[in-house]
Amino acid sequence: MPPEVHRWADLRKQVAYRCKRINTGHMVEADQRFGQRHAIGPHGVVLFFVSDVPAEPYGYQLHTAYRLWLASPEADDLPRLLADLAEVASENIARAASMRRRWHPLGPDGSMVNGGDMSLPNGSTYVGVGVSTLDSDQGRWYQLAHTLRDLPTTGRRRSVFDLKGQCYVLLTDGTAMHIDRDPHARLGVDGIRCNRTLDPDRVTYFNRHENLTEDCDDATRHVWRQLGALNHTLTTHLHSGRPV
């Protein structure tokens, strides 16, 4: 199997792990600031980059930068948030080009992020974008956050660490991945659904998630499409002059 195949498979697993960590941090911060003037919204965007590090097992290091928003009606609408972000990115690209500059989503001008790896090693490559959301099959974030503050009628009070979260990811090699972060998942259940393999050495492999971005409800499909538009904008710009 070509080394590049193993590298991408490893990258998918690293991205999934990093998404879970970011989603947990997102949820804890949103819980701590819930109901306050500077409350955190339920959705965030994550950008993924890699730099070449020959000493690492697969020759790369993953870098992630993210953007969280203050709670507002606009920040609560995930498809709208993604569409607005793609539009802003396009405007920043055009504005920088008009001044014979090259825009980068990490800034210094028109930065798209406010957390994570705010600077990158020289030569780092954009490899994808994701969403961290506090909405899950348990319910919408605002409903869930209220339940944490309600007095339980039976049993113990739940904490934020009992709540699930989820992430959507698109990578530049065509990977689509959904990560269901469940703190009470059974041992061995990682919550990852991916349209491409996480284990390239498996001899026989049937991927029931091959059409992940289409085999879902209309609302989720809309999220995938808006995330795809943002990924296309960033990939086209950041990979211009190099193979994707």
Side-chain angles (χ1 to χ4, degrees), residues 4 15 95 116 144 184 196:
E4 191 71 7
V15 165
R95 185 179 303 110
L144 296 171
H184 299 299
R196 299 205 170 185

Side-chain angles (χ1 to χ4, degrees), residues 15 17-30 32-33 40-49 62-70 81-82 85 104-107 110-120 126 128-134 167-169 230 234:
V15 165
Y17 170 78
R18 193 71 61 88
C19 281
K20 288 183 179 181
R21 195 170 74 185
I22 290 173
N23 185 261
T24 299
H26 180 187
M27 182 165 282
V28 170
E29 186 170 359
Q32 292 173 343
R33 293 165 61 171
I40 295 293
H43 311 302
V45 169
V46 188
L47 303 180
F48 305 101
F49 300 85
L62 175 65
H63 308 276
T64 52
Y66 60 83
R67 172 71 179 268
L68 300 180
W69 281 265
L70 296 179
L81 195 66
L82 293 172
L85 203 56
H104 194 280
L106 271 59
S111 174
M112 286 176 57
V113 299
N114 55 17
D117 299 321
M118 304 291 282
S119 61
L120 300 171
Y126 169 78
V129 62
V131 164
S132 167
T133 176
L134 308 184
C167 299
Y168 302 87
V169 173
L230 176 59
L234 294 175

Side-chain angles (χ1 to χ4, degrees), residues 7-16 50 60 62 127 171:
R7 175 171 166 145
W8 274 105
D10 183 74
L11 178 60
R12 292 174 198 124
K13 290 184 283 189
Q14 293 296 326
V15 165
V50 297
Y60 78 93
L62 175 65
V127 291
L171 302 181

Side-chain angles (χ1 to χ4, degrees), residues 147-231:
T147 67
L148 299 180
R149 288 150 178 83
D150 294 338
L151 291 175
T153 55
T154 59
R156 69 176 183 87
R157 182 193 294 271
R158 289 200 306 173
S159 81
V160 69
F161 296 104
D162 293 309
L163 300 183
K164 297 172 66 174
Q166 56 182 335
C167 299
Y168 302 87
V169 173
L170 292 176
L171 302 181
T172 55
D173 73 329
T175 294
M177 187 159 45
H178 177 262
I179 301 106
D180 182 27
R181 185 188 58 78
D182 183 357
H184 299 299
R186 298 190 311 274
L187 185 65
V189 177
D190 59 18
I192 302 172
R193 295 186 297 148
C194 187
N195 69 339
R196 299 205 170 185
T197 184
L198 301 175
D199 183 3
D201 292 323
R202 289 180 61 177
V203 178
T204 59
Y205 178 68
F206 169 73
N207 188 352
R208 65 182 185 276
H209 305 305
E210 184 176 358
N211 299 311
L212 178 64
T213 61
E214 294 296 327
D215 293 343
C216 50
D217 57 65
D218 288 341
T220 304
R221 197 176 298 117
H222 193 30
V223 170
W224 280 120
R225 289 175 180 170
Q226 295 300 335
L227 185 61
L230 176 59
N231 184 49

